[in-house]
Amino acid sequence: MNAFKKTLLAAAVGCCTPLANAHTESPVYLPASHAPAGVMADHLHAEGEWMFGYRVMREEYSDIYHGSDEVGAMEVAMAGYSMMPTSMTMEMHMLDIMYAVSDDLTLMLMPQYMTMDMAMEMVGSGHGHMDSMHEGGHDHSVSGVGDTILGGLFRIADTQGYRLHATLAISSPTGSVEEKNADGTFTHYGMQLGSGTWDLLPSLTYTSRLERLSWGAQVSARLPLEDENDSGFAFGERYGATAWSAYRIADWASLSARLEYAKEGDINGHYNGPHNHSSPPDLQENYGGEFVDCGIGVNFVAQRGALAGVRLGLEWVGSISANYNGYQLAREDGLNMSLSYAF
């Protein structure tokens, strides 16, 4: 992720070069008319307009935390675990398809593809449940289709001073929750490809701008509509709020800064088939928590030529503070990318 941060900084410095020669009038395509790449369901379209986009979210995890404190292998072993995760990488690839039925209603469809890789190491004798396969460290991974989001964005207000819209979406459980280890036991809860439940995804988004400066805020939630999935469990409710500001440094580029707060519950229920209790991600209480993150990003949009209207957003996300439920791997860095075109 260090290479990405260097690239982002270089892009920001390079974009500042033409600032003195930038036009004072608004360009045809405003780079900051879309939120930073890590924010979804942030804008509506004009009646009859389509948008096709592609999003990538990548997160890297390392180091074990208990609450807000980093702990080592000894503390994990003393808590009764025989194994602990040492690192994890998660990637989400998403298609972002939108169509405006009217100026006040935009429909969206977002299918996903997930990949996750985790490294484990032995730390102690643990709970003694199905640990015969663990004779040392090992890596394991899963990949496949994730859940599919579909819903609508509804305009509430559109004035000269601000815009306000609500989103009501549903997450369809198209991702597998039956991923298993080589010995036939369920893999960790957090490495299943989907939630396995129908989830409600409401949000409310506010945006405004003044000349080169723009800003916005969004509150959102993820609310499972079922008590358990086919594998016997359900992820906890998640509530979030984010606010951002962007400055247009050139007709085709803007820089952004963002703060994000999230609170997520632990897992409800329990696997209804053979599973391990040997490591923290095998237990329901080691999920969720309360988090504050920051993001730094750039948005680009071509103004002319064959690529006119094509948008690219990049955003690096880092942790400001975190209070994890139980024992969990800590997120070190996140990268969000969005590429889209509307017509």
Side-chain angles (χ1 to χ4, degrees):
M1 299 302 293
N2 289 333
F4 169 73
K5 286 187 278 187
K6 291 179 181 178
T7 301
L8 187 60
L9 181 60
V13 172
C15 288
C16 289
T17 303
L19 180 59
N21 298 322
H23 299 297
T24 56
E25 67 273 10
S26 296
V28 176
Y29 305 100
L30 287 169
S33 63
H34 288 203
V39 181
M40 294 187 287
D42 61 292
H43 65 277
L44 284 81
H45 290 271
E47 181 176 353
E49 189 172 60
W50 284 89
M51 190 198 82
F52 287 89
Y54 169 60
R55 292 179 178 268
V56 178
M57 181 180 73
R58 178 184 174 92
E59 294 179 343
E60 294 185 353
Y61 298 78
S62 64
D63 301 325
I64 292 285
Y65 274 69
H66 182 242
S68 56
D69 299 319
E70 183 178 355
V71 298
M74 181 179 295
E75 289 91 341
V76 175
M78 290 177 64
Y81 299 103
S82 64
M83 301 204 73
M84 61 179 276
T86 57
S87 65
M88 178 178 174
T89 300
M90 186 277 290
E91 284 191 4
M92 179 193 73
H93 301 261
M94 174 186 285
L95 294 180
D96 191 357
I97 304 169
M98 306 182 81
Y99 174 72
V101 177
S102 70
D103 289 343
D104 297 323
L105 171 60
T106 296
L107 303 179
M108 67 177 181
L109 174 66
M110 296 178 172
Q112 304 175 48
Y113 186 88
M114 305 291 298
T115 65
M116 285 172 277
D117 301 279
M118 181 179 286
M120 308 283 292
E121 69 176 23
M122 180 75 78
V123 295
S125 59
H127 295 282
H129 296 328
M130 300 183 182
D131 290 338
S132 60
M133 66 173 287
H134 300 313
E135 298 178 354
H138 67 278
D139 299 345
H140 54 283
S141 61
V142 297
S143 61
V145 173
D147 291 342
T148 301
I149 298 172
L150 60 160
L153 290 70
F154 310 87
R155 190 184 309 279
I156 298 175
D158 187 355
T159 72
Q160 291 185 344
Y162 70 94
R163 292 180 177 181
L164 183 67
H165 73 266
T167 300
L168 187 61
I170 291 287
S171 176
S172 171
T174 51
S176 169
V177 289
E178 299 181 350
E179 298 300 302
K180 296 181 179 179
N181 302 309
D183 65 347
T185 60
F186 280 109
T187 190
H188 315 299
Y189 291 98
M191 290 191 71
Q192 296 296 341
L193 297 172
S195 70
T197 56
W198 288 88
D199 301 334
L200 183 65
L201 307 176
S203 67
L204 184 66
T205 306
Y206 163 90
T207 57
S208 185
R209 68 183 181 92
L210 179 64
E211 297 179 351
R212 294 181 176 274
L213 185 66
S214 61
W215 58 93
Q218 184 182 86
V219 292
S220 61
R222 186 182 187 100
L223 309 173
L225 298 178
E226 301 173 88
D227 293 333
E228 63 179 46
N229 55 36
D230 290 342
S231 293
F233 71 94
F235 288 102
E237 295 180 349
R238 185 184 189 279
Y239 300 92
T242 187
W244 66 90
S245 183
Y247 186 79
R248 176 165 54 89
I249 58 174
D251 286 353
W252 48 274
S254 64
L255 301 178
S256 66
R258 183 166 69 93
L259 285 176
E260 182 175 26
Y261 168 83
K263 184 174 184 179
E264 184 173 355
D266 59 11
I267 289 175
N268 301 307
H270 197 265
Y271 273 136
N272 54 20
H275 58 283
N276 298 306
H277 282 181
S278 57
S279 68
D282 291 326
L283 297 181
Q284 306 94 305
E285 62 263 28
N286 297 321
Y287 287 86
E290 202 164 0
F291 313 99
V292 178
D293 297 329
C294 64
I296 300 173
V298 291
N299 276 8
F300 303 104
V301 58
Q303 297 295 318
R304 58 184 64 85
L307 297 180
V310 174
R311 296 178 178 273
L312 173 65
L314 299 171
E315 184 184 41
W316 169 83
V317 178
S319 176
I320 295 178
S321 68
N323 188 4
Y324 297 91
N325 293 337
Y327 293 86
Q328 296 185 46
L329 276 173
R331 194 189 69 190
E332 297 298 326
D333 285 298
L335 167 64
N336 299 310
M337 187 277 286
S338 65
L339 180 67
S340 65
Y341 177 70
F343 57 94

